[in-house]
């Protein structure tokens, strides 16, 4: 059985493209480009909480990198460097090798240098830290949403939640859509190009990890505003096709999470610009509501009646 340092040498040493020094010393050396600010974020994935203990290690490696890269996309920052700290119940080299390949493949897909990390014995846990760059005053924060702004979301949020419900035997999916939902759950695609394109366009932004309503509440609280979603504008089509149940599709969209799509506000006068960005990137961008000047979150039904929505998202300390 390989030891810690042999595992690191075999599976965590990769060439770097824009770093002074990568894995192999006491610290990596990174040189931000002149005039750029550093954006830094950390995400931890814990077995039994964020993924099944028997999850495919390649896909788990991909997702661990992807959810961190998505944090850079959410701020309009360019992801540049990443580290990975890994706790393992045992030194299973085949598992480590597959996980490392998935992590590396995601990093390479988004031009991110894997520059270091750590391994130890313990309950299965993967914790990555991502470093990105953004020009001063160009980062898109959660604090800028204003009364009258449009609310937008990218892609088809809710598909990952349907995939999880299927794996948990809570919902049977149509066979033609099953793999697509599972792919969204296991292999999210960070919207880096969209995040970069929305700098100077979006007034507030984040990625949808804990559910659309729950994550939207963070924007509303930070910006001291409210919002109303329009039921007729919600992108439910693929969700309805996948599960054939309106209630399940709507719940997945509004509270499912794990899609890592971008949810953002933008001034109404930017509507044409946002639509042009979607066409250029060949990525669906859905206008789903608007920002209000009073606190709270509502859903306007097709008949025009507005009802209050619960804004709570996934809580890691909530009792199951």
């Amino acid at each position: 059985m390989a030891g810690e340092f042999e595992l690191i040498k075999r599976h965590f040493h990769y060439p770097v493209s824009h770093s002074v020094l990568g894995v192999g010393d006491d610290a990596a050396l990174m040189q931000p480009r002149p005039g750029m600010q550093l954006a830094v974020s950390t995400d931890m994935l814990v077995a039994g909480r964020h993924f099944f203990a028997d999850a495919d290690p390649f896909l788990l490696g991909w997702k661990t990198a992807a959810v961190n890269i998505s944090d850079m996309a959410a701020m309009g920052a360019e992801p540049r460097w990443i580290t990975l700290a890994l706790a393992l119940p045992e030194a299973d080299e085949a598992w480590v090798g597959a996980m490392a390949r998935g992590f590396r493949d995601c990093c390479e897909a988004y031009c991110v240098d894997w520059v270091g990390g750590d391994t130890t014995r313990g309950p299965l846990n993967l914790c990555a830290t991502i470093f990105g760059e953004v020009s001063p005053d160009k980062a898109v924060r959660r604090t800028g949403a204003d009364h009258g702004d449009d609310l937008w979301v990218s892609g088809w949020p809710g598909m990952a939640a349907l995939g999880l419900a299927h794996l948990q035997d809570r919902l049977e999916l149509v066979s033609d859509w099953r793999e697509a939902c599972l792919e969204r759950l296991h292999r999210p695609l960070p919207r880096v190009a969209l995040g970069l394109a929305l700098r100077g366009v979006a007034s507030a932004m984040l990625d949808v990890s804990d559910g659309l309503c729950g994550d939207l509440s963070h924007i509303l609280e930070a910006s001291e505003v409210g919002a109303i979603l329009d039921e007729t504008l919600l992108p439910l089509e693929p969700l309805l096709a996948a599960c054939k149940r309106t209630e399940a599709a709507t719940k997945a969209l509004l509270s499912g999470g794990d899609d890592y799509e971008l949810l953002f506000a933008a001034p109404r006068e930017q509507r044409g610009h946002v639509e042009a960005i979607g066409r250029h990137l060949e990525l669906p961008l859905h206008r789903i509501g608007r920002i209000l000047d009073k606190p709270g979150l509502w859903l306007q039904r097709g008949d025009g009646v507005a009802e209050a929505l619960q804004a709570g998202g996934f809580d890691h300390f909530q009792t199951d």
Side-chain angles (χ1 to χ4, degrees):
M1 181 181 293
E4 175 188 0
F5 298 108
E6 186 62 27
L7 282 175
I8 293 173
K9 183 177 180 180
R10 291 182 189 177
H11 301 293
F12 297 167
H13 279 227
Y14 296 105
V16 292
S17 60
H18 46 258
S19 306
V20 179
L21 179 66
V23 177
D25 215 309
D26 290 304
L29 298 175
M30 303 171 293
Q31 180 63 57
R33 288 170 292 188
M36 302 293 276
Q37 292 180 332
L38 278 179
V40 184
S41 181
T42 297
D43 265 306
M44 181 186 300
L45 277 69
V46 179
R49 192 60 175 170
H50 302 96
F51 61 91
F52 298 113
D54 61 351
D56 180 297
F58 178 90
L59 294 176
L60 180 58
W62 175 284
K63 188 168 185 175
T64 301
V67 301
N68 281 268
I69 293 171
S70 181
D71 283 335
M72 296 295 101
M75 294 201 73
E78 182 180 352
R80 299 277 283 168
W81 305 279
I82 197 168
T83 65
L84 176 64
L86 176 66
L88 294 167
E90 59 182 351
D92 182 337
E93 185 163 358
W95 191 96
V96 171
M99 184 282 301
R101 288 193 299 274
F103 191 87
R104 178 199 63 200
D105 282 6
C106 186
C107 290
E108 290 183 347
Y110 291 91
C111 300
V112 177
D113 277 355
W114 183 2
V115 295
D118 190 24
T119 59
T120 190
R121 186 181 182 93
L124 184 55
N125 180 332
L126 300 92
C127 183
T129 299
I130 185 87
F131 302 82
E133 293 179 328
V134 62
S135 299
D137 301 322
K138 293 295 185 181
V140 186
R141 306 183 184 186
R142 302 176 178 184
T143 55
D146 197 10
H147 171 56
D149 284 358
D150 291 329
L151 270 176
W152 299 81
V153 70
S154 65
W156 302 103
M159 292 185 69
L162 292 183
L164 178 60
H166 174 79
L167 291 179
Q168 294 174 328
D169 295 323
R170 294 187 289 110
L171 187 66
E172 183 64 30
L173 297 181
V174 175
S175 58
D176 291 347
W177 285 91
R178 190 175 303 143
E179 287 305 314
C181 291
L182 292 174
E183 179 79 1
R184 296 296 176 91
L185 174 65
H186 295 311
R187 196 165 179 155
L189 299 175
R191 302 303 188 185
V192 173
L194 175 60
L196 295 175
L198 287 172
R199 292 185 298 192
V201 177
S203 55
M205 182 162 64
L206 46 62
D207 60 339
V208 181
S209 58
D210 296 329
L212 191 150
C213 286
D215 287 319
L216 174 56
S217 70
H218 300 316
I219 288 179
L220 303 185
E221 181 179 0
S223 298
E224 299 181 336
V225 293
I228 187 165
L229 305 180
D230 187 333
E231 184 181 49
T232 65
L233 297 178
L234 298 180
L236 288 168
E237 294 88 350
L239 309 182
L240 291 170
C243 72
K244 302 297 183 181
R245 292 169 52 184
T246 301
E247 182 179 355
T250 304
K251 182 178 179 180
L253 172 64
L254 295 180
S255 60
D258 230 15
D259 296 282
Y260 300 95
E261 295 291 351
L262 294 186
L263 174 66
F264 60 96
R268 181 183 177 89
E269 55 268 24
Q270 294 283 8
R271 190 176 295 180
H273 195 168
V274 172
E275 292 170 346
I277 289 171
R279 290 192 297 270
H280 175 73
L281 296 178
E282 298 182 343
L283 175 64
L285 299 180
H286 310 281
R287 182 170 54 84
I288 59 172
R290 67 184 187 279
I291 297 294
L292 305 176
D293 60 358
K294 61 180 179 178
L297 177 60
W298 290 269
L299 176 67
Q300 182 172 304
R301 297 291 186 182
D303 59 8
V305 175
E307 65 179 50
L309 283 175
Q310 294 296 320
F314 179 75
D315 185 341
H316 296 276
F317 293 95
Q318 179 179 332
T319 301
D320 293 328

